[in-house]
Amino acid sequence: NAGVTQTPKFQVLKTGQSMTLQCAQDMNHEYMSWYRQDPGMGLRLIHYSVGAGITDQGEVPNGYNVSRSTTEDFPLRLLSAAPSQTSVYFCASRREGAEGNTIYFGEGSWLTVV
Amino acid sequence: GQSLEQPSEVTAVEGAIVQINCTYQTSGFYGLSWYQQHDGGAPTFLSYNALDGLEETGRFSSFLSRSDSYGYLLLQELQMKDSASYFCAVEGGFQKLVFGTGTRLLVSP
């Protein structure tokens, strides 16, 4: 059971380039989300999805696009990278249960925009 | 809007008990979660409170008072491996989880 898998782990981009961060989960979770974490900060929600074909914006959606064509995959696209998007990105999926809503995070993608 | 406040850093010694507080302001409230994150790692789920009271999971306990918009994480019998950042998070709206800025716990021998 792989859980939540993110790729790539590290990436350096030039300003203006575009790229896609991949995220896949094998737990059949309906809810998936993308967060960014800046140094010394908490996680901020970029976009989330409550199921295939359904996405919505979080706190900091500008400059990012998402799609959810399958339950398993939730890619995050940077349209035109900017230095302000230098951050660590975490993909997460969520299990809902009687004991509460547990979120499982991927290992993170370290992105540097120069 | 939504905001959460946590102390930025807490220090303690091995074997001690430490409490990390979290106060929140949200437009709605469904539950308070706690996550642990070691440097360079991903956050991992510790506990969740939807109702008032204490939830205990091994050495970790979490408390919630919805009337006070307040919760805390209690770590007992501290170990060196507990040195990490701890985040509280509130689900204040439909499927939206908002995180605090984190508390860095330093455990010394």
Side-chain angles (χ1 to χ4, degrees), chain A residues 8-56:
Chain A
K9 193 167 180 68
F10 300 98
Q11 182 72 49
V12 179
L13 284 179
K14 293 183 179 179
T15 298
Q17 286 185 316
S18 62
M19 78 157 296
T20 300
L21 299 178
Q22 301 292 343
C23 177
Q25 54 96 3
D26 61 0
M27 296 174 283
N28 202 33
H29 292 166
E30 291 297 319
Y31 179 90
M32 295 185 73
S33 53
W34 277 101
Y35 292 85
R36 61 176 288 174
Q37 185 176 31
D38 300 313
M41 300 288 289
L43 292 94
R44 291 185 292 169
L45 182 64
I46 304 171
H47 285 285
Y48 67 99
S49 168
V50 299
I54 306 169
T55 63
D56 204 349

Side-chain angles (χ1 to χ4, degrees), chain A residues 31 35 37 40-43 48 50 57 90 94 96 99-103 105-106 110, chain B residues 33 35 37 40-45 48 87 91 94-102:
Chain A
Y31 179 90
Y35 292 85
Q37 185 176 31
M41 300 288 289
L43 292 94
Y48 67 99
V50 299
Q57 297 180 351
F90 289 99
R94 172 167 158 167
E96 295 188 5
E99 67 275 28
N101 300 321
T102 303
I103 289 191
F105 287 90
W110 273 253
Chain B
S33 306
Y35 289 81
Q37 185 180 32
T44 56
F45 173 81
Y48 175 79
F87 295 89
E91 185 179 356
F94 179 66
Q95 301 285 359
K96 289 189 178 181
L97 201 63
V98 178
F99 284 79
T101 53

